């Protein structure tokens, strides 16, 4: 989940898409790469002292089961030393991130990485280890502003990884169908990105912002909510594209 803007729904999508995939019977690993550790705490887990993707410890020893069956998490770390190490990641650290993820890749059907709101080295290390980018875009004024730099970065990684990384999809979030603005952003984004924009959109729904404070996914907190429905639809679309 990548977008250099904060508050666009990366973490919400990382949590609830991975939960939906897990509920659909897929083994999922959510990797929290954001030093804010929002995904970790939202799933009622604790941040670690030192990020598992950087240390020498086997990744399997750091992985924690969540209360959703089949959904595990690599908790985030707030330790600045580590964040710095990741954030200034040269080739060695980037390779280490990828090696750690490769060591568990066989155990999961999907590995989702929640990135911090930046195009810095943390995000670049995540992109280098990934096969697909999912970019949430919030339906607001200036939704596409600043995306040029991010797209350039993504393109560089695509070239550097010989096409291992592809554009997985763009997701419109905080969609408000009664607002003219939402439809303007929808049209602009679909004109610009074309088919890679998911048909599914995520409406603004209070269940999605309340569930993290209860340490729950939206499926646990409000299974009949519009938010739960939207992430179920997105999950089905991801599985159809896969
Ligand atoms: P990011 O990870 O990109 O910074 P978050 O997923 O943390 O964004 O979302 C930012 C804030 O907006 C959070 O408080 C979250 O609960 C809320 N939020 C995210 N998606 C929605 C939505 N579809 N409807 C309502 N609130 C949302
Ligand atoms: Mg976040």
């Amino acid at each position: 989940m990548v977008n250099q803007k904060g508050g666009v729904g990366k973490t919400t999508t990382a949590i609830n898409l991975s939960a939906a995939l897990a509920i659909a019977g897929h083994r999922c690993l959510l990797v929290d790469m954001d030093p804010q550790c929002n995904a970790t705490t939202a799933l009622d887990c604790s941040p670690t002292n030192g990020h598992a993707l950087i240390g020498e410890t086997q990744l399997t020893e750091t992985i924690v089961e969540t209360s959703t069956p089949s959904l595990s998490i690599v908790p985030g770390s707030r330790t600045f030393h580590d964040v710095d190490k990741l954030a200034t990641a040269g080739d060695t650290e980037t390779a280490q991130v990828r090696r750690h993820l490769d060591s568990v890749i066989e155990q999961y059907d999907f590995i989702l990485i929640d990135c911090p709101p930046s195009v810095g080295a943390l995000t670049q290390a995540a992109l280098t280890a990934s096969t697909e980018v999912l970019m949430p875009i919030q339906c607001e004024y200036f939704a596409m502003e600043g995306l040029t730099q991010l797209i350039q970065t993504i393109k560089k990684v695509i070239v550097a990884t010989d096409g291992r990384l592809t554009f997985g999809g763009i997701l419109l979030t905080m969609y408000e169908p009664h607002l003219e603005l939402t439809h303007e952003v929808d049209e602009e984004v679909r004109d610009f990105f074309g088919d890679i924009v998911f048909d599914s959109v995520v409406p603004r729904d209070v269940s999605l912002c309340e569930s993290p404070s209860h340490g729950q996914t939206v499926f646990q907190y409000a299974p009949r909510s519009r938010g739960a429905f939207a992430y179920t639809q997105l999950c089905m679309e991801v599985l159809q594209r896969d």
Side-chain angles (χ1 to χ4, degrees):
M1 312 306 120
V2 174
N3 189 323
Q4 87 282 21
K5 285 192 189 183
V8 299
K10 288 182 292 298
T11 302
T12 305
T13 301
I15 294 165
N16 294 305
L17 176 58
S18 54
L21 288 163
I23 292 166
H26 300 280
R27 299 162 303 169
C28 284
L29 179 65
L30 175 57
V31 179
D32 191 354
M33 286 270 272
D34 187 350
Q36 292 181 63
C37 303
N38 292 149
T40 304
T41 50
L43 287 174
D44 208 18
C45 296
S46 305
T48 48
N49 288 318
H51 205 290
L53 289 179
I54 280 297
E56 292 297 328
T57 317
Q58 287 284 317
L59 196 58
T60 42
E61 288 175 35
T62 330
I63 292 173
V64 179
E65 304 298 318
T66 72
S67 54
T68 299
S70 296
L71 175 58
S72 308
I73 183 168
V74 175
S77 162
R78 295 193 179 113
T79 323
F80 280 102
H81 174 67
D82 256 65
V83 174
D84 276 353
K85 232 176 169 177
L86 264 178
T88 54
D91 291 344
T92 322
E93 286 82 3
T94 306
Q96 200 172 22
V97 167
R98 188 152 157 195
R99 199 167 56 242
H100 271 306
L101 290 175
D102 279 346
S103 74
V104 296
I105 208 158
E106 295 295 325
Q107 297 166 39
Y108 297 97
D109 300 310
F110 292 93
I111 301 182
L112 283 79
I113 307 179
D114 187 27
C115 287
S118 79
V119 267
L122 271 178
T123 296
Q124 286 183 38
L127 287 171
T128 307
S130 298
T131 52
E132 284 182 62
V133 186
L134 195 159
M135 193 193 295
I137 293 183
Q138 187 183 344
C139 296
E140 47 145 22
Y141 279 111
F142 309 122
M144 306 253 287
E145 193 195 53
L147 284 188
T148 330
Q149 194 196 353
L150 180 56
I151 291 167
Q152 288 308 324
T153 306
I154 293 169
K155 280 187 177 159
K156 270 189 209 154
V157 177
I158 291 177
V159 172
T161 56
D162 280 332
R164 172 182 143 121
L165 179 70
T166 58
F167 241 109
I170 309 280
L171 176 67
L172 293 167
T173 63
M174 308 199 209
Y175 202 91
E176 291 180 86
H178 58 281
L179 292 186
E180 180 61 26
L181 173 64
T182 287
H183 296 285
E184 284 169 21
V185 174
D186 186 315
E187 203 180 314
E188 191 187 356
V189 170
R190 288 184 198 277
D191 275 351
F192 188 83
F193 289 104
D195 283 349
I196 60 169
V197 184
F198 289 108
D199 292 336
S200 317
V201 297
V202 181
R204 193 176 281 281
D205 178 12
V206 71
S207 309
L208 290 169
C209 38
E210 285 174 355
S211 49
S213 62
H214 298 265
Q216 293 182 331
T217 70
V218 76
F219 302 105
Q220 294 165 318
Y221 178 71
R224 290 171 193 276
S225 63
R226 288 185 304 145
F229 183 73
Y231 279 108
T232 304
Q233 277 195 318
L234 175 67
C235 169
M236 292 197 292
E237 215 180 328
V238 166
L239 291 173
Q240 273 159 13
R241 284 187 182 193
D242 198 39

